[in-house]
Amino acid sequence: MPGWMRGATSASVAAAFLVGVSGCQPPDAGRAPDGPLADVALTFAISLAEDEKDAVREVLDRFTRETGAAVAVAAVTGDDLPEKLKVEVRAGRPTIDLFAKDTLALRVLVEEGLVEDLSDVAIPEGVLPAMVPEQFEGQRYFLPFRPNVQVTYVNRTRFKDAGVTAPTTVEELRAVARALKSAARGVPKVTLPLAEGGAAGVTITEWIAAFGGNPLLLNDAGSVRAFEFLRSLWAEGLLARESLLAKYDTQVDYLQGETAWLASNWPFTSKVFAEQDILARFEVYAGWRGPVRAAHVLGGDVLGIPRGIGGRRREAALALARFLMSREAQQVLVERNAWPAIRDDAYGGVPAEQRETFDAIQKALASAVRRPDVVYWADVTEAMNEAVRRILVLGEPPAAALDALHAQVEAAARRKGAPYPPAERRWLDGPGPGAPASQRSTAWR
């Protein structure tokens, strides 16, 4: 029996609805599968891009071949999942057996009583401790699956022509941005992901953390310093105005079309460029650090089980969760989807052309920070977006603008019954820059 399945028993569940990743039929439809879970039909809810589906289907098919359990995929976005669970769990009829949910707004699933307590589930050997999701009031409700961090892409030829190298501090970033603008005859060639919505929220969280601030406060000293620095870059014309539209997809376009010679983005970018045979044009590295620390927002997905999936049905869902955390599954997702892994031993088969990307990912994960999981985080993100508009675009003084936005966040927190100001205000660096990534804390406290 595979190690990921130890402790699982044979399970039987009613057939769930099928929304297949590549068709609606389970693998080897038409014949009775063999294996300890051959009478099980599971539904796994996950949100995937079109070009990510084949690799996930391959992983699920491997699980079926080893266990006999058929797995259908329900396409449910992270935004839609809480409402779906609320309706089904409260009605006592959950149709999802296991879900992958982005790391935002997990607390609401716990506080609404929508997810199973998984404190009794052992994390498989080989999973990095820093990748294990945070607990809630001492209980574990989620399991690690897919971490994600942004890395930085550099146009090798343009940097060589400008006589600069990849910046590793914010001051070096300023100097490099000046050199690139000069080489481009006055056109800025740096884009930061500041598109309205989540893109700006991730970028601003990283900058605030890098300057020693707390994103829940917005007007503390670190937050003000971060916006003062960003405003100086913007006022000097060192950031392309396309930054206001820069996010996961447009950043790829900007790098391809050389609107940007330096841009941060999620590492799926490397997969796209490798398929287009242009990845060699770019240096990929972890990025720069601020005056206090390096900071990379930890994104990605975690696994959870809806409340009410109990008994033998719960065991079957956990068998799939264990497989998804296994080296075998993680390695397929690394190699075929260019996804970062929750374990170091999954990187052995990375294509040579993407090795630099995965080295950058691992370095970025070593300085990862989690966004605080508070019920008013959407209000924080909205305030960050407004800060970009008021401070960068309209040129308002950072301190005054952030004072006003801080007041809005505080009002939102109190309106939603959350304690404010937050009792714990520090970003933790963990044991220090010399420590291995597996020992470093990525928790907000």
Side-chain angles (χ1 to χ4, degrees), residues 392-410:
L392 271 60
V393 179
L394 300 181
E396 293 185 22
L402 292 174
D403 278 343
L405 293 169
H406 167 85
Q408 292 181 22
V409 171
E410 180 175 6

Side-chain angles (χ1 to χ4, degrees), residues 51-60 332-333 336-337:
D51 61 356
E52 295 174 325
K53 293 178 179 179
D54 286 347
V56 172
R57 185 71 262 171
E58 178 183 335
V59 168
L60 298 179
V332 171
L333 298 174
R336 295 202 51 197
N337 276 356

Side-chain angles (χ1 to χ4, degrees), residues 203 208 289:
T203 299
I208 287 175
R289 62 174 290 123

Side-chain angles (χ1 to χ4, degrees), residues 331-393:
Q331 190 163 335
V332 171
L333 298 174
V334 165
E335 294 173 11
R336 295 202 51 197
N337 276 356
W339 286 5
I342 57 175
R343 44 194 309 143
D344 277 341
D345 59 6
Y347 290 102
V350 171
E353 62 185 348
Q354 294 195 43
R355 173 56 59 183
E356 184 180 61
T357 296
F358 282 94
D359 288 344
I361 289 170
Q362 290 178 292
K363 290 177 181 176
L365 285 172
S367 56
V369 292
R370 301 183 195 273
R371 285 165 287 195
D373 201 335
V374 293
V375 294
Y376 57 93
W377 181 253
D379 302 284
V380 176
T381 298
E382 182 179 345
M384 290 175 174
N385 278 264
E386 181 65 7
V388 169
R389 187 186 73 85
R390 292 175 60 171
I391 296 171
L392 271 60
V393 179

Side-chain angles (χ1 to χ4, degrees), residues 291-307:
V292 173
R293 60 164 296 165
H296 295 83
V297 163
L298 182 64
D301 296 330
V302 297
L303 299 173
I305 295 178
R307 188 174 182 181

Side-chain angles (χ1 to χ4, degrees), residues 121-137:
V121 179
I123 302 298
E125 184 178 351
V127 173
L128 297 169
M131 297 298 101
V132 178
E134 63 183 320
Q135 297 185 358
F136 294 86
E137 286 71 51

